[in-house]
Amino acid sequence: MVAEYLHNMGIRDRIATYMIGNYYARPIIPFNVIVNSRNQLESGIRGGTGFEGTPWENQHGSTGKIPATSKYAHLGVDTDFYQFEDNKEDYFLWLARFHPTKNPMTAIKLAIETGIKLVLSGDMVSHPEHYKHGLECLEMIKGHDNIKYVPLPQDHTHQRAKLKLMQKAKCYLFPVGFHESFGLTTVEALSCGTPVIASNMGALPEIIESGTNGFIARDYNHMKAFVHSIDEIKPKDCRKSVEENFSREKMAER
């Protein structure tokens, strides 16, 4: 609304609207739009939603296109808060909202089939659908001692608890099933020196360089193979990739 007010006042060339997330709605007036990845930019100019070719494609209709003059700036994280940790523990981490688009069941399947230790964490409380899917996941891990659910506190200690899980994990699993507009938690994990195994979806290939700070998987079997290669990735290279590309200072420059 503020941007629209300024536009109507005639201050048009100096207005930039930053859009976070996928394309559920467009500005009615074509402001100078900034999005958070090259993939999101190209999708927005086409009028995409981020759910093309996925099971949720028909649930998210496009409301239009963003201007072809739009730009992108990768998101950045506070590297002072997401501090580097070289001393890892023996577990893989999945941390997101419990929703099928985030594929927690894929992480569980990986752990069951490979025997890796897996910690599941994230949001089960903010939406009934998250709670329902979370309960299905908890039922799925029963009898598997290598998999555990660690709830995050819903108070001022939330971010610190999340940080500790990311710092100590030997790998962060991000097997999403839709075209992520960015994937900020992957950068948070990398800042902690934790490599990432992610789907080849949306902006993730812009963040993860296979063999350097993690691996990009084209399918489930590809991801399963990378589980056994994660020790090849050096934590210091993960941190370096964030300092050079995804710090909040770099985002501000862009």
Side-chain angles (χ1 to χ4, degrees):
M1 291 178 65
V2 173
E4 186 171 349
Y5 175 78
L6 292 172
H7 184 278
N8 292 334
M9 291 286 290
I11 311 172
R12 300 181 179 184
D13 60 340
R14 287 175 283 163
I15 304 170
T17 299
Y18 199 95
M19 296 184 68
I20 298 176
N22 287 295
Y23 296 96
Y24 305 119
R26 307 301 199 283
I28 296 173
I29 298 174
F31 303 121
N32 301 310
V33 176
I34 303 171
V35 296
N36 46 17
S37 68
R38 182 175 62 252
N39 179 272
Q40 188 187 22
L41 174 65
E42 293 170 353
S43 174
I45 292 173
R46 293 194 307 269
T49 64
F51 293 92
E52 290 81 10
T54 76
W56 306 277
E57 183 171 7
N58 294 330
Q59 298 177 22
H60 302 282
S62 174
T63 58
K65 302 177 181 179
I66 62 173
T69 53
S70 302
K71 307 294 182 182
Y72 76 92
H74 286 143
L75 295 181
V77 298
D78 183 353
T79 53
D80 291 332
F81 180 79
Y82 291 99
Q83 295 180 353
F84 177 73
E85 175 59 71
D86 195 29
N87 185 24
K88 304 298 183 182
E89 296 180 5
D90 185 22
Y91 67 87
F92 286 63
L93 174 65
W94 179 92
L95 191 157
R97 53 190 168 89
F98 280 84
H99 189 276
T101 58
K102 297 293 187 176
N103 272 341
M105 288 188 173
T106 295
I108 294 170
K109 184 180 177 182
L110 280 171
I112 292 174
E113 294 186 359
T114 64
I116 60 172
K117 294 179 181 179
L118 175 66
V119 170
L120 297 168
S121 192
D123 178 16
M124 281 181 60
V125 299
S126 67
H127 192 281
E129 192 172 4
H130 300 169
Y131 182 69
K132 177 179 179 292
H133 194 60
L135 291 182
E136 292 172 353
C137 290
L138 295 184
E139 186 66 27
M140 189 176 175
I141 69 176
K142 285 183 177 179
H144 298 283
D145 296 337
N146 60 318
I147 309 172
K148 66 178 180 179
Y149 168 60
V150 177
L152 289 175
Q154 300 301 309
D155 57 22
H156 68 280
T157 65
H158 175 94
Q159 291 298 331
R160 286 286 175 185
K162 171 187 167 184
L163 172 65
K164 184 176 180 181
L165 286 175
M166 285 185 162
Q167 285 179 317
K168 291 297 185 179
K170 68 183 298 182
C171 176
Y172 181 53
L173 294 174
F174 201 67
V176 293
F178 74 113
H179 300 285
E180 278 279 4
S181 62
F182 187 70
L184 188 60
T185 55
T186 62
V187 178
E188 293 169 348
L190 291 172
S191 185
C192 296
T194 301
V196 178
I197 297 177
S199 305
N200 186 22
M201 301 286 282
L204 294 170
E206 298 174 44
I207 301 171
I208 309 303
E209 182 181 351
S210 278
T212 299
N213 59 358
F215 297 101
I216 288 291
R218 61 178 177 267
D219 54 32
Y220 174 77
N221 288 330
H222 206 205
M223 187 170 289
K224 186 176 178 180
F226 284 140
V227 163
H228 303 290
S229 303
I230 202 63
D231 290 335
E232 299 174 7
I233 306 298
K234 298 177 181 179
K236 65 179 182 179
D237 290 335
C238 298
R239 173 71 179 194
K240 182 180 178 181
S241 70
V242 174
E243 292 175 340
E244 293 181 349
N245 301 292
F246 304 112
S247 68
R248 59 183 180 178
E249 290 83 7
K250 289 293 182 182
M251 178 184 176
E253 287 174 12
R254 295 189 179 102

